[in-house]
Amino acid sequence: MARVAIVTGGTRGIGRAICEHLKEDGFTVVANYGGNDEAAQAFTKETGIAAYKWDVGDHHATQAGCEKVTEEIGPVDVVVNNAGITRDGTLMRMTYEDWHDVMRINLGGCFNMAKACFPGMKERGWGRIVNIGSINGQAGQYGQVNYAAAKSGIHGFTKALAQEGARFDITVNAIAPGYIDTDMVAAVPENVLEKIVAKIPVGRLGQPSEIARGVSFLCSDEAGFVTGSTMSINGGQHMY
Ligand code: CAA
């Protein structure tokens, strides 16, 4: 039977490309989404991939959502924690809600999904967790103390959980995308984005499929010795 993969924030942008690649790889893919019903319906119609709505920042909703997927589709073998939001602004302008929403969804979502799915992976002796971090979690970014902190947290979360999963054949890795051609990046003011792109050695934004290819590798059987790692896919914008 095909392994089941859940991709959070899977109906648009990078998440959608990940869903499509994992489906091509032979997984039974389920997309989670948080808000945009219209986009989710169009996604399911176009891809044939089921979409389930819940807020990954809500611990109990995530538990219930993953239970529903398990009952209706099957036990979850692969989790891709891709859901994320931005609430950009300098510290002086950032509200507590801007801080808290980003921490709750971007970082809390990874914890909630792992709590729901790790025990089953452990029981079955195989699992893949891929967390989508960010170049801005590695290097910081003006106007993003919330997002950079949450994404940086994802990298620490990845390394800690990798140590716990290793003896059960559960690998836990992160991908740190640079600036990718999605709605999230399109929301950056044009004059600011121009300056950012000028600093990307490859000279362009990345494409969602260029992140999805990395996820696809990390979810494969062949990647069983890769755990606790961060794959940076950023056009050379940040190297370390
Ligand atoms: N370093 C130093 N100073 C900077 C700066 C930087 N990187 N960016 C802006 N400034 C300065 C400006 O020069 C300006 O100074 P002056 O007033 O002296 O001229 C001052 O800061 C205010 O700049 P803005 O006019 O941009 O301020 P704003 O309040 O209108 O906007 C902002 C602030 C919302 C943070 C805006 O700069 C912005 O959107 N920046 C982009 C943030 C960003 O890159 N977000 C990434 C979103 S995509 C994503 O997150 C995906 C991913 O993982 C990569």
Side-chain angles (χ1 to χ4, degrees):
M1 216 170 76
R3 287 172 170 150
V4 175
I6 299 187
V7 181
T8 69
T11 59
R12 296 189 297 129
I14 293 174
R16 179 180 176 136
I18 295 170
C19 284
E20 290 172 346
H21 275 68
L22 292 181
K23 187 180 175 194
E24 268 173 40
D25 292 342
F27 291 97
T28 300
V29 181
V30 171
N32 147 273
Y33 72 103
N36 191 334
D37 293 319
E38 217 174 290
Q41 278 158 17
F43 163 84
T44 297
K45 205 167 158 204
E46 285 157 26
T47 62
I49 296 172
Y52 284 70
K53 185 176 187 176
W54 74 82
D55 173 2
V56 292
D58 179 329
H59 186 72
H60 299 292
T62 302
Q63 202 72 38
C66 291
E67 277 167 20
K68 194 167 179 220
V69 170
T70 301
E71 275 163 29
E72 294 179 3
I73 311 281
V76 179
D77 303 302
V78 173
V79 170
V80 182
N81 283 312
N82 166 75
I85 60 164
T86 51
R87 295 282 185 272
D88 292 357
T90 55
L91 178 76
M92 293 296 286
R93 288 182 203 268
M94 191 176 288
T95 63
Y96 175 71
E97 286 69 33
D98 294 335
W99 165 264
H100 186 64
D101 285 351
V102 169
M103 295 305 284
R104 185 179 71 80
I105 293 170
N106 296 16
L107 182 56
C110 294
F111 173 79
N112 295 335
M113 286 298 297
K115 277 296 278 184
C117 300
F118 187 95
M121 293 177 183
K122 180 182 160 188
E123 224 174 85
R124 293 186 303 282
W126 194 91
R128 295 280 183 268
I129 298 176
V130 181
N131 302 315
I132 305 300
S134 168
I135 186 174
N136 294 348
Q138 297 172 308
Q141 169 61 38
Y142 187 98
Q144 282 199 313
V145 294
N146 50 2
Y147 187 89
K151 291 294 189 179
S152 196
I154 285 178
H155 295 302
F157 174 86
T158 299
K159 293 178 210 173
L161 191 58
Q163 294 179 33
E164 296 184 22
R167 65 201 167 100
F168 310 114
D169 271 341
I170 302 170
T171 66
V172 187
N173 291 287
I175 291 191
Y179 282 72
I180 309 299
D181 191 5
T182 61
D183 292 347
M184 184 182 272
V185 166
V188 175
E190 207 178 317
N191 61 327
V192 177
L193 190 58
E194 268 170 25
K195 285 187 200 143
I196 291 170
V197 174
K199 288 190 189 140
I200 304 175
V202 168
R204 62 171 174 85
L205 295 176
Q207 288 304 311
S209 65
E210 294 176 300
I211 303 303
R213 294 267 300 168
V215 175
S216 179
F217 166 67
L218 292 171
C219 293
S220 67
D221 273 315
E222 290 79 2
F225 202 58
V226 184
T227 197
S229 76
T230 297
M231 190 189 284
S232 296
I233 306 180
N234 62 29
Q237 193 185 345
H238 179 65
M239 305 175 188
Y240 92 121

